[in-house]
Amino acid sequence: MTALASKVAWHDVECGGYAADLALWEELARAAGGPVLDLGCGTGRVALHLARRGHEVLGVDLESELVEALNARADGTSARAIAADATRLDLGHRFALALAPMQLIQLLSGEAERRACLRGIAALLSPGGLAALAIVEEVEPEDGGSTFSRYARESRRAQPPLPDTREIDGVVYSSLPLPTELEDGALLVRRLRQVVSPEGLLSEEEDRIELRELSAERLEREAAAAGLGARPRRQVPPTDDHVGSTVVLLQKGGA
């Protein structure tokens, strides 16, 4: 496997240091008082954090490499992970809390996949259980245009950010955020990934992630069809390096 193909390394470099949302997930896990489902768990940023604080956590991710890394790091904790599709959830277990951090729901291709994911979450929640889904919300700010369009404009005129960097086994990984773009109803989040080998050889590629436009109101309407009722939303504040999130809270009936 080449350095640029190391999904675990890139996930650690680009996501591993983000902590602005962890206090909210801790709060919700304490209040839930039962098993937690972490959708899009990656290498365990959220799952391991909660498990080290005494919570039972099952992580789900499409990427088997990331799942394997989480399980290797979870030794001695109550966290584990499996490779599964968030739109085809059939885990044979019930959860008090389901989390979808880092805009996972907006990575899905559209409404059909979101509704499938929401139905799966509803089926896995215990009566009264809560789902918490983080989104970059599509709203109409005072200056006109959606939050997505404003975010894209601001990313183009902001001071160039510093790259996220990490050295792993003698290999230096650098991930530089590039200006975002709007494309076909999605926010295109771009990064320049560069790798320097122990021998000093440089390789690079551009990584792109599409976040589909989605408002909290629309997500709540789609969730209602799956039997999940809207609760008061929460906010994850922006940081110098990351956009803030609206966290949509959805509760299964029957508490």
Side-chain angles (χ1 to χ4, degrees):
M1 178 181 294
T2 66
L4 281 175
S6 176
K7 295 176 182 178
V8 171
W10 286 121
H11 193 276
D12 286 346
V13 170
E14 295 170 351
C15 303
Y18 181 63
D21 59 347
L22 293 178
L24 177 57
W25 309 142
E26 280 187 60
E27 175 192 335
L28 295 176
R30 284 195 303 270
V36 179
L37 176 64
D38 178 15
L39 296 171
C41 61
T43 59
R45 181 184 70 88
V46 174
L48 295 178
H49 180 86
L50 294 179
R52 289 167 183 148
R53 284 151 182 81
H55 302 286
E56 178 187 348
V57 188
L58 175 65
V60 169
D61 202 287
L62 265 179
E63 299 290 350
S64 58
E65 290 176 45
L66 305 185
V67 166
E68 290 170 6
L70 189 159
N71 286 329
R73 297 170 184 183
D75 187 39
T77 76
S78 56
R80 64 184 181 92
I82 60 173
D85 187 337
T87 66
R88 296 176 175 86
L89 293 170
D90 184 13
L91 307 178
H93 194 46
R94 291 292 179 267
F95 300 89
L97 175 66
L99 304 177
M102 300 289 282
Q103 297 83 47
L104 171 84
I105 199 74
Q106 288 173 284
L107 296 175
L108 303 181
S109 63
E111 181 177 343
E113 287 201 346
R114 287 197 304 272
R115 286 182 179 272
C117 181
L118 291 165
R119 288 194 299 269
I121 290 172
L124 292 172
L125 285 175
S126 301
L130 194 70
L133 288 67
I135 63 171
V136 177
E137 190 174 10
E138 175 198 4
V139 297
E140 297 296 325
E142 292 179 0
D143 62 351
S146 70
T147 295
F148 270 15
S149 63
R150 183 175 63 182
Y151 178 54
R153 291 197 305 272
E154 290 176 350
S155 75
R156 288 192 291 271
R157 65 173 177 250
Q159 289 293 323
L162 296 175
D164 297 312
T165 60
R166 187 174 295 191
E167 182 176 341
I168 304 172
D169 298 328
V171 178
V172 177
Y173 295 81
S174 172
S175 177
L176 177 67
L178 299 175
T180 58
E181 302 290 343
L182 283 172
E183 185 175 284
D184 297 328
L187 183 69
L188 191 62
V189 180
R190 305 160 53 230
R191 282 178 172 266
L192 178 63
R193 290 176 169 180
Q194 296 180 314
V195 173
V196 180
S197 73
E199 298 76 27
L201 298 176
L202 172 68
S203 54
E204 65 180 27
E205 65 182 6
E206 183 177 311
D207 180 68
R208 296 183 171 205
I209 296 174
E210 291 186 0
L211 298 180
R212 299 290 172 183
E213 287 192 89
L214 181 64
S215 68
E217 289 84 0
R218 180 170 183 176
L219 182 56
E220 289 166 351
R221 288 196 302 270
E222 293 172 358
L228 298 171
R231 307 297 296 167
R233 302 167 197 154
R234 302 290 297 272
Q235 298 292 323
V236 175
T239 69
D240 291 341
D241 300 317
H242 296 87
V243 65
S245 297
T246 296
V247 177
V248 175
L249 298 182
L250 307 165
Q251 190 167 36
K252 182 173 179 176

